[in-house]
Amino acid sequence: MSRNDEWMQRDIASLWHPCTQMKDHETLPVTPIRRGRGVWLEDFDGRRYLDAVSSWWVNIFGHANERINARIRDQLDSLEHVILSGFTHQPVIELSERLGRLTPAGLGHCFYADNGSAAVEIALKMSYHYWHNVGRPEKRRFLTITNGYHGETLGALSVGDVAIFTETYRSLLLDVLKVPAPDGFGLPREQWIDEAWEKFAHMEAALERHHHELAAVIVEPLIQCAGGMRMYPPEYLTWLREACDRYNVQLIFDEIAVGFGRTGTMFACEQASVRPDYLCLSKAITGGYLPLSVVMTTDEVYDAFYDDYASLRAFLHSHSYTGNPLACAAALATLDIFEQDSVIEANRAKAAHIERVTAPLRDHPHVGDVRQTGMVVAIEMVRDRATLEPYDFRERRGLRVFQHAMSRGAMLRPLGNVIYWMPPYVIEPEEIDFLAEVTREGLEIATGD
Ligand SMILES: *Cc1c(COP(=O)(O)O)cnc(C)c1O
């Protein structure tokens, strides 16, 4: 028995894996990873896999990054954790100051948690509570776009719209308003703006009709990641900010997946030159090392909670590991790397390379769309290229791509029929070429009948 097999058997006997039909593992083994270095993961039998999905979109500077390792080790020797209520520490203060300088002006108040879903819950509760505190308690509903994803807890699921995650729990969820998403699926990029403008009419109409009862609009800026890497242009965000101001509705940007350089700018909202009322960040914030999330908000929101204790206007939300010092230290090391290595500029050449090598896939008879924003590229497989008719999800075409890629030493993990790359930024040109080769082969195998 190989060492992999041994670990696999012990795993299946004791674990229940996230986002997994466990029965699949009767035929499709879990892969035990022994170590990681840079973009590569290695299993117990010594096989290597290129981590093309950044270990669920979190790892941007590679596994076992020396600079992040060193910073965490340092922190470990002084303070591993302390309660953040009534106490504070150096890494969390420095991180808050730096995030304030990096994000659009005016988001000077950082509220921490330990995962993305918790950040979304915080933003939703804060917005609801804000309107309560300013004497508009009737403003308690949320508006969003279809096909969004904001996490798995009940509030976050409520504002999400990816059916496989939400449908089962429908009767437990908040009653949230949804208007059609503005993405440019199947359209050439020149037409994205027109498409987004057409869809914006629905947003405008919903705001006009419901603003009196709306607390906030929540969206994933530029890329709806879990919804299949659907992309839309920054103009939509500009229009949305303007309309939210006009109708006195708050705006929540969930940049949990796209923040920290993924879309080609440090934060996606920069491309629209707008500031949300709440900016949710997580995932890559620690370079993919430790769980941490933050909701950044404005003086206006902060001030609506600021009062004498007995007024009972405080935001009494907390999590045990809020603002964990080790996680904050990893985040500081991550921000140092952005500065020292001019990462945003360096990524431009890599993104251009990705665009070059994926362009030929557009001609494949079962590719309906190849789209890219910064360091994310998605290749959507369709049954019929002319009508964009999708493959039935039961055919599990994406799974075939996954299996082929694993056999070739790449970890590609399609979302349904959407093959995507969301690699660590430290990926090298020849590794990008290798991914292109594996993707082309996987596509042939997955669509070859
Ligand atoms: C992953 C994700 C979340 C949820 O974050 P978790 O840490 O997995 O709870 C929320 N919003 C977006 C856009 C995400 O991609």
Side-chain angles (χ1 to χ4, degrees):
M1 191 159 64
S2 79
R3 292 184 61 200
N4 267 1
D5 291 340
E6 233 177 277
W7 286 112
M8 281 188 257
Q9 286 181 10
R10 283 172 62 180
D11 173 288
I12 293 302
S14 58
L15 270 87
W16 189 343
H17 287 271
C19 202
T20 299
Q21 170 49 265
M22 291 301 290
K23 188 165 189 286
D24 275 0
H25 288 318
E26 287 181 9
T27 51
L28 181 81
V30 293
T31 305
I33 297 299
R34 189 163 85 93
R35 62 179 171 194
R37 186 146 297 266
V39 298
W40 295 95
L41 295 166
E42 187 183 317
D43 71 15
F44 281 79
D45 293 336
R47 272 193 300 271
R48 300 204 313 154
Y49 310 92
L50 198 164
D51 186 357
V53 301
S54 296
S55 283
W56 249 349
W57 319 344
V58 298
N59 188 301
I60 48 177
F61 296 132
H63 297 277
N65 182 292
E66 306 231 337
R67 284 180 275 179
I68 304 175
N69 286 5
R71 187 72 173 247
I72 294 173
R73 263 190 224 110
D74 248 21
Q75 184 59 41
L76 196 53
D77 285 333
S78 53
L79 178 69
E80 80 302 326
H81 187 63
V82 65
I83 175 175
L84 198 63
S85 193
F87 295 81
T88 191
H89 53 84
Q90 188 176 340
V92 81
I93 295 169
E94 287 179 1
L95 180 60
S96 307
E97 291 171 348
R98 285 177 76 172
L99 288 175
R101 287 198 294 272
L102 283 169
T103 51
L107 293 171
H109 304 276
C110 292
F111 195 102
Y112 288 90
D114 48 17
N115 66 78
S117 305
V120 169
E121 299 288 340
I122 287 164
L124 297 174
K125 282 176 68 181
M126 248 185 208
S127 179
Y128 171 95
H129 198 158
Y130 167 85
W131 291 112
H132 180 90
N133 281 355
V134 300
R136 298 287 306 275
E138 73 282 4
K139 284 170 76 70
R140 47 179 295 277
R141 293 187 77 189
F142 298 97
L143 169 61
T144 185
I145 55 180
T146 54
N147 195 44
Y149 178 85
H150 300 284
E152 301 292 347
T153 51
L154 293 175
L157 261 190
S158 300
V159 289
D161 187 52
V162 178
I164 48 164
F165 302 129
T166 54
E167 271 324 294
T168 314
Y169 307 103
R170 176 67 52 208
S171 69
L172 283 177
L173 304 183
L174 301 172
D175 182 22
V176 169
L177 292 160
K178 288 170 190 165
V179 294
D183 69 86
F185 171 52
L187 298 171
R189 201 162 189 118
E190 314 81 73
Q191 288 174 35
W192 282 15
I193 291 192
D194 291 343
E195 173 66 18
W197 178 246
E198 231 170 78
K199 292 292 163 52
F200 187 72
H202 297 274
M203 176 59 82
E204 173 82 39
L207 282 166
E208 183 180 10
R209 182 140 177 248
H210 294 283
H211 66 92
H212 60 279
E213 55 170 344
L214 284 175
V217 173
I218 178 169
V219 295
E220 292 164 89
L222 302 189
I223 313 179
Q224 297 189 290
C225 293
M229 302 295 164
R230 292 289 174 93
M231 298 172 187
Y232 63 90
E235 284 79 0
Y236 188 87
L237 300 172
T238 314
W239 306 326
L240 181 57
R241 175 73 270 183
E242 187 278 323
C244 283
D245 286 343
R246 199 157 20 91
Y247 288 110
N248 199 19
V249 170
Q250 293 191 320
L251 184 54
I252 303 169
F253 281 170
D254 175 353
E255 293 216 21
I256 288 165
V258 297
F260 301 97
R262 197 44 87 171
T263 64
T265 45
M266 192 62 170
F267 299 101
C269 58
E270 288 168 38
Q271 295 184 38
S273 306
V274 295
R275 182 194 76 191
D277 298 285
Y278 306 90
L279 179 63
C280 301
L281 303 172
S282 186
K283 289 205 163 104
I285 191 172
T286 62
Y289 266 67
L290 288 158
L292 182 73
S293 65
V294 61
V295 178
M296 301 180 67
T297 191
T298 61
D299 288 345
E300 189 187 349
V301 171
Y302 182 79
D303 291 345
F305 290 79
Y306 196 90
D307 204 346
D308 295 330
Y309 184 79
S311 71
L312 298 176
R313 291 153 73 96
F315 191 60
L316 300 180
H317 183 112
S318 66
H319 297 285
S320 312
Y321 286 96
T322 291
N324 174 262
L326 294 170
C328 291
L332 288 168
T334 299
L335 294 182
D336 284 346
I337 295 174
F338 269 105
E339 276 177 32
Q340 289 160 7
D341 297 2
S342 305
V343 171
I344 300 293
E345 293 81 66
N347 277 357
R348 277 191 210 121
K350 295 188 185 187
H353 190 119
I354 289 172
E355 190 174 350
R356 264 194 313 279
V357 299
T358 51
L361 301 174
R362 283 175 204 279
D363 301 326
H364 190 279
H366 288 289
V367 167
D369 197 31
V370 177
R371 50 186 178 269
Q372 185 180 349
T373 298
M375 292 294 280
V376 184
V377 67
I379 299 119
E380 184 144 350
M381 297 183 284
V382 291
R383 176 174 294 289
D384 184 335
R385 210 179 136 85
T387 62
L388 298 177
E389 182 200 341
Y391 283 115
D392 190 306
F393 81 97
R394 283 164 294 209
E395 295 171 15
R396 306 190 77 179
R397 306 265 170 179
L399 188 62
R400 299 186 208 173
V401 176
F402 169 77
Q403 287 177 294
H404 173 72
M406 287 297 280
S407 78
R408 291 281 275 110
M411 196 227 278
L412 286 173
R413 219 170 157 276
L415 293 154
N417 296 320
V418 181
I419 307 168
Y420 72 91
W421 308 351
M422 195 154 168
Y425 306 159
V426 292
I427 193 167
E428 295 292 339
E430 53 289 0
E431 291 162 343
I432 293 173
D433 295 342
F434 167 65
L435 272 187
E437 195 178 297
V438 172
T439 301
R440 189 165 28 77
E441 296 162 2
L443 195 54
E444 288 305 327
I445 289 166
T447 61
D449 61 356

